[in-house]
Amino acid sequence: MTIRVLIADDQELVRTGLSMILSAQPDIEVVGQAVNGVEAVALARSLRPDVCLFDIRMPGLDGIEATRAIAGPGAEDPMAVVIITTFDLDEYVFAALRAGAKGFLLKDAGSALLAQATRAAASGDALIAPNVTVRLLEAFAGAEPAASLSQPIEPLTEREEQVLAKVAGGLSNSEIAAELYITLSTVKTHVASLMTKLGARNRVEIAIWAHERRRTR
């Protein structure tokens, strides 16, 4: 099945580069390009792509607000959005994921990871670039440990602990499945269980919880 993609970035060179990379994939088709957030939302609603690749800093409407409009809690029939940016500020990651983004990549992530994130989003999975997760954890490393780390609603199972460690390391679901010799659906089940037990809204929050627990032990 061909994955239909919409690209939104205010820089023509970036749009062209992303389009060339993705169009070279046999299972991905770029169906539209937008130069700002307003156009991105309009095209997303008219074209109904499988995945939207949004830059964060765009005129008119930024990538976070554009994501919230088509993928947020109040969106009707939400679409899959992957944020791709130069990663100027760590808080962009949280804002994007809370707005409903399925993934977060740096513009220098490389063609393989870009295609992988696109496929993951299309299948309902989420991929956060490993270097994004690592940089976030490094940012938290200099801060004081949380005064009271929230405890899981229920104790984590041994397998959930293993998956937790892999998520904290920035691995995708497919990579976790390969390393733990379990199926992709099993990984997704464990990640969903972790989010429920930890009260986390996304993979980055799972990773931060794991990091904080290590620091407070």
Side-chain angles (χ1 to χ4, degrees):
M1 186 180 73
T2 301
I3 300 171
R4 302 170 65 253
V5 176
L6 168 66
I7 297 172
D9 195 294
D10 60 336
Q11 298 182 47
E12 183 179 0
L13 185 62
V14 174
R15 293 196 308 274
T16 301
L18 293 174
S19 180
M20 289 178 61
I21 291 171
L22 292 176
S23 296
Q25 302 296 317
D27 59 337
I28 298 176
E29 176 189 6
V30 176
V31 296
Q33 297 185 33
V35 301
N36 57 56
V38 174
E39 185 179 5
V41 171
L43 281 176
R45 287 173 173 166
S46 63
L47 296 174
R48 297 298 305 179
D50 299 306
V51 178
C52 299
L53 289 180
F54 286 176
D55 183 25
I56 283 186
R57 292 184 175 181
M58 294 189 291
L61 191 70
D62 65 31
I64 293 174
E65 290 305 315
T67 298
R68 185 173 290 111
I70 66 170
E76 184 177 347
D77 194 13
M79 288 175 259
V81 177
V82 174
I83 294 293
I84 180 165
T85 183
T86 51
F87 194 66
D88 293 318
L89 297 173
D90 293 339
E91 55 262 33
Y92 282 164
V93 180
F94 294 102
L97 294 173
R98 286 168 181 163
K102 284 287 187 183
F104 199 103
L105 293 175
L106 305 188
K107 287 182 178 178
D108 62 357
S111 57
L113 194 57
L114 176 62
Q116 184 182 358
T118 301
R119 294 186 182 104
S123 66
D125 196 2
L127 187 148
I128 311 298
N131 48 354
V132 172
T133 301
V134 170
R135 284 188 61 176
L136 277 174
L137 296 182
E138 286 176 349
F140 277 86
E144 290 297 322
S148 57
L149 184 68
S150 61
Q151 296 302 312
I153 297 175
E154 299 176 20
L156 304 185
T157 65
E158 181 179 354
R159 182 62 85 182
E160 286 171 347
E161 289 281 2
Q162 294 171 345
V163 173
L164 174 68
K166 300 299 182 183
V167 171
L171 273 66
S172 68
N173 283 357
S174 297
E175 291 170 331
I176 295 173
E179 290 206 3
L180 296 181
Y181 302 101
I182 55 179
T183 65
L184 183 59
S185 62
T186 299
V187 176
K188 291 181 179 180
T189 298
H190 288 313
V191 171
S193 179
L194 284 170
M195 291 177 66
T196 299
K197 289 184 176 181
L198 303 180
R201 286 168 288 192
N202 49 63
R203 300 170 77 88
V204 170
E205 290 189 356
I206 291 176
I208 290 173
W209 186 91
H211 181 69
E212 287 290 339
R213 184 175 67 169
R214 288 197 298 268
R215 295 173 63 197
T216 55
R217 280 182 169 177

